[in-house]
Amino acid sequence: MASIPVLALLPDVIHIRASAADPDLADTVRLLGRELARPRAATAVLLDRLVDILLIQVLRAWLDSGTSPDISWWGVLRDPLLYQAVTRIHEDPARDWTTASLAREAAVSASTLNRRFLAATGETPGAYLTRWRMTLAAKHLRDTDATLEAVAEKVGYTSVYAFSRAFRRERHLPPEPTGCCQTTVPAA
């Protein structure tokens, strides 16, 4: 799943006791150490992959320790139903999603999806969908030469006016190809 704000949720330091660590985590650390001690052909590629694996294993160990916050995106990662719903949004952000249609995709009632989503993340599925669409829109506006119309359509808006209002409400800036993601400082 792309771009759930996982890294932003992490504390500055995560401490995993060696005695509590999964054996796979210890194996990965040993393999990483051996590769660093004896670089060979394709070491950089291997190190990139091992660091990715190490991050996932550390996150798993931290989640299993029960020290993660109660309301956060960890709830989505832990709950298969919520994970499925968010994955659907990420796979097709432009789809005309409602809580009911998303709930049908996850084979659950809309009230159950809404309640669990709110309990796990502190926001509704609709609020998440809007935020995700605006994140994608900001990226498109920053990284491409697409018109506002094209970006609006790509993220699920049939009207540039509705898209612009949603973007401004979410980002506190107008949707412009240059500067959509920069913070402005009001004049004194």
Side-chain angles (χ1 to χ4, degrees):
M1 174 171 39
S3 283
I4 288 185
V6 172
L7 296 179
L9 298 172
L10 296 175
D12 291 337
V13 175
I14 295 176
H15 180 255
I16 308 296
R17 295 189 181 282
S19 61
D22 185 292
D24 294 337
L25 175 58
D27 290 343
T28 302
V29 171
R30 281 193 292 278
L31 184 57
L32 190 59
R34 284 195 305 268
E35 194 63 34
L36 286 167
R38 287 189 339 243
R40 298 182 307 215
T43 288
V45 173
L46 185 61
L47 289 175
D48 284 346
R49 300 317 182 272
L50 285 173
V51 168
D52 290 342
I53 292 167
L54 182 66
L55 175 62
I56 291 167
Q57 290 175 332
V58 166
L59 291 175
R60 284 179 174 172
W62 185 60
L63 288 170
D64 291 345
S65 74
T67 58
S68 59
D70 291 334
I71 295 178
S72 74
W73 283 103
W74 299 121
V76 171
L77 296 175
R78 286 182 172 160
D79 186 326
L81 174 112
L82 298 180
Y83 184 84
Q84 181 182 7
V86 170
T87 299
R88 293 286 189 270
I89 289 171
H90 283 237
E91 288 172 347
D92 191 5
R95 184 170 166 182
D96 188 20
W97 290 112
T98 63
T99 300
S101 65
L102 196 55
R104 276 191 302 277
E105 291 281 327
V108 68
S109 73
S111 61
T112 297
L113 177 64
N114 202 46
R115 180 177 32 80
R116 284 171 66 174
F117 208 97
L118 192 57
T121 67
E123 67 182 340
T124 65
Y128 176 74
L129 173 62
T130 299
R131 192 164 49 80
W132 177 241
R133 284 175 169 174
M134 295 307 108
T135 297
L136 293 175
K139 185 177 181 343
H140 288 302
L141 290 169
R142 184 189 66 227
D143 297 343
T144 71
D145 293 331
T147 64
L148 283 181
E149 291 82 5
V151 172
E153 184 178 329
K154 188 167 187 72
V155 298
Y157 286 83
T158 56
S159 153
V160 173
Y161 177 73
F163 165 69
S164 295
R165 281 188 30 218
F167 193 95
R168 185 181 293 273
R169 190 172 47 248
E170 181 69 28
R171 295 280 173 151
H172 308 290
L173 294 167
E176 297 173 357
T178 58
C180 71
C181 307
Q182 300 168 356
T183 304
T184 58
V185 178

